[in-house]
Amino acid sequence: MKRVITITREFGSGGRTIAKELANRLGWEYYDYSLIAKIAAQSGYAPEYIERHGEDITSWNMWNMGFFSLSDSLFLAQRKVILDLAEKGNCVIVGRCADYILEDRTDVLNVFIYADEAWKKDRIKTIYGENEKDFDRRFKEKNKKRASYYKYYTGHSWGRAWYYDLCLKTSSLGIEETVNILQSVIVS
Amino acid sequence: MKRVITITREFGSGGRTIAKELANRLGWEYYDYSLIAKIAAQSGYAPEYIERHGEDITSWNMWNMGFFSLSDSLFLAQRKVILDLAEKGNCVIVGRCADYILEDRTDVLNVFIYADEAWKKDRIKTIYGENEKDFDRRFKEKNKKRASYYKYYTGHSWGRAWYYDLCLKTSSLGIEETVNILQSVIVS
């Protein structure tokens, strides 16, 4: 019986929208930005700092092996909040290596959400109306940083199927169908 | 509208069982061993040779770059049969890099089926009753060869999510639920 869903997602893939809608349908809690408030309250970090660095790792921190960095400290604060939330159950947690942090639990469904490059870019432009010039750089950087953060703290390669129970490509399946699949896995 | 499903699967994951049941439910053709007879008829290779080498690549062939090998010739024969079958549509094709061979078609759903190591081993032992001594070696070799073959002819890493529309872990979802998910994607 699964009581927690973790969503690891590419920037632009619609993973957050899926997580929100899924939580809504199941009547479960949904944690993404709301996680930031909880981490802030427990750790003393400013919400802005958490939002900016909670899933990014700077190149300085990446090569700062053997030293305990601010990034490590934030990771540990996030870890504690995620462990507590999973203990309560009935929640969908987006990002922040939650799949790895909860790997010892048997009641967690781990999902990877991804999409074709062109589809992700189109989606972001439609939602945020990015201007063309900065967009490509920011898009590439954001996904790269997310993958690097994941690799650094989990040792796992982003998007390697074995770390997840399901990997779903939203550019093929669509947002609605992806939510349907995940809902059916939980309620069946 | 999807008219073809390709199933890339780990040895022991239940991918073949899933493909068969899915084809049965959809009323589609199912090609695995039956593909061998077609390849034999069109190419002149003996069915036994195709079964043995149709998804394996020997280390000699792997390093034999630049020379056209028997393995390459068999791959091309398989490729032609798979392209013809996809053109007819309404079929489930197991293995043989069908996802890569059909990458230019938009009516193909590509699926990767995998499972935890212990689950796969248990499943194979239950079905084939392997003796413990040879088993571990054969199990490891079979999955390694399949991944090497795939990498050699597609250039893609086995199990990297982006190459598939769905990746489903049978040790988490079960065979039945996995078939349900794929059926719902096609009929929805």
Side-chain angles (χ1 to χ4, degrees):
Chain A
M1 189 69 183
K2 304 296 182 188
R3 295 170 61 246
V4 179
I5 299 170
T6 72
I7 305 271
T8 304
R9 81 294 180 215
E10 285 192 294
F11 178 57
S13 68
R16 200 159 64 87
T17 309
I18 289 163
K20 214 166 181 172
E21 172 62 17
L22 185 62
N24 189 36
R25 288 199 203 170
L26 296 169
W28 286 12
E29 295 293 326
Y30 156 77
Y31 295 113
D32 183 8
Y33 289 125
S34 52
L35 207 55
I36 292 173
K38 283 183 191 291
I39 296 162
Q42 286 202 15
S43 68
Y45 282 108
E48 296 72 25
Y49 182 85
I50 298 166
E51 188 169 354
R52 190 151 175 194
H53 297 289
E55 291 188 276
D56 283 356
I57 189 149
T58 60
S59 48
W60 162 249
N61 276 329
M62 266 198 81
W63 299 110
N64 185 21
M65 315 265 215
F67 297 93
F68 195 77
S69 66
L70 264 177
S71 176
D72 292 341
S73 166
L74 177 54
F75 179 80
L76 292 180
Q78 291 189 158
R79 183 176 177 277
K80 198 183 164 320
V81 171
I82 288 168
L83 287 170
D84 288 350
L85 292 175
E87 190 57 37
K88 286 183 202 147
N90 292 3
C91 59
V92 182
I93 305 174
V94 178
R96 292 162 207 282
C97 308
D99 58 319
Y100 175 76
I101 290 166
L102 301 174
E103 69 177 350
D104 292 336
R105 299 190 70 102
T106 56
D107 57 356
V108 179
L109 189 79
N110 294 311
V111 182
F112 184 68
I113 302 289
Y114 57 109
D116 285 340
E117 210 72 356
W119 192 89
K120 286 182 295 193
K121 286 186 174 178
D122 275 356
R123 198 171 163 276
I124 292 172
K125 279 178 192 166
T126 309
I127 296 176
Y128 302 104
E130 303 275 345
N131 78 61
E132 192 66 40
K133 198 178 155 236
D134 285 352
F135 178 73
D136 278 345
R137 186 191 53 75
R138 214 176 72 86
F139 178 84
K140 206 173 160 183
E141 197 179 275
K142 189 114 180 171
N143 265 317
K144 198 178 156 191
K145 275 190 179 172
R146 217 175 258 183
S148 299
Y149 181 86
Y150 187 78
K151 177 78 183 177
Y152 182 78
Y153 282 110
T154 68
H156 295 174
S157 292
W158 183 250
R160 210 173 125 74
W162 289 272
Y163 300 122
Y164 316 99
D165 300 309
L166 299 92
C167 305
L168 302 172
K169 189 190 266 184
T170 40
S171 49
S172 305
L173 301 167
I175 300 274
E176 176 77 11
E177 177 70 12
T178 303
V179 178
N180 291 345
I181 290 171
L182 294 173
Q183 185 182 13
S184 80
V185 169
I186 294 297
V187 301
S188 70
Chain B
M1 188 70 185
K2 303 296 184 190
R3 296 168 62 245
V4 179
I5 300 170
T6 72
I7 306 270
T8 304
R9 80 293 180 214
E10 286 192 296
F11 179 56
S13 67
R16 199 158 64 87
T17 309
I18 288 161
K20 214 167 182 170
E21 173 61 17
L22 185 60
N24 189 35
R25 288 198 203 170
L26 296 170
W28 286 12
E29 294 294 326
Y30 156 76
Y31 295 113
D32 182 10
Y33 289 126
S34 51
L35 208 55
I36 293 172
K38 282 183 192 292
I39 296 162
Q42 286 202 14
S43 68
Y45 283 108
E48 297 71 26
Y49 182 84
I50 299 166
E51 187 168 356
R52 190 153 176 189
H53 297 290
E55 290 189 276
D56 283 357
I57 189 149
T58 60
S59 48
W60 163 249
N61 277 329
M62 266 196 80
W63 299 110
N64 186 22
M65 316 264 214
F67 296 93
F68 195 77
S69 66
L70 264 177
S71 176
D72 293 340
S73 165
L74 177 53
F75 179 79
L76 292 180
Q78 292 189 157
R79 183 175 177 278
K80 196 182 167 320
V81 170
I82 288 168
L83 287 169
D84 288 349
L85 292 175
E87 191 56 38
K88 285 183 204 148
N90 293 2
C91 60
V92 183
I93 304 174
V94 178
R96 294 165 204 278
C97 309
D99 58 320
Y100 175 76
I101 289 166
L102 301 174
E103 69 178 349
D104 291 336
R105 299 190 69 102
T106 56
D107 58 354
V108 179
L109 189 80
N110 295 311
V111 181
F112 184 67
I113 301 289
Y114 57 109
D116 284 341
E117 209 73 355
W119 192 89
K120 285 181 295 194
K121 286 186 174 177
D122 276 357
R123 196 170 165 276
I124 291 172
K125 279 180 193 164
T126 309
I127 296 175
Y128 303 103
E130 303 275 344
N131 81 60
E132 192 65 41
K133 198 177 157 238
D134 285 352
F135 177 74
D136 278 344
R137 185 190 54 76
R138 213 175 73 86
F139 177 84
K140 207 171 156 183
E141 199 178 275
K142 188 116 181 170
N143 265 318
K144 198 177 154 192
K145 275 190 180 172
R146 217 174 258 183
S148 300
Y149 182 86
Y150 188 78
K151 177 79 184 173
Y152 182 76
Y153 283 109
T154 69
H156 296 174
S157 293
W158 184 250
R160 211 172 125 73
W162 289 272
Y163 300 122
Y164 316 100
D165 300 308
L166 299 93
C167 305
L168 302 171
K169 189 191 265 183
T170 40
S171 50
S172 304
L173 301 167
I175 300 275
E176 176 77 12
E177 176 69 12
T178 303
V179 178
N180 291 345
I181 291 171
L182 294 173
Q183 186 182 12
S184 80
V185 169
I186 294 296
V187 299
S188 71

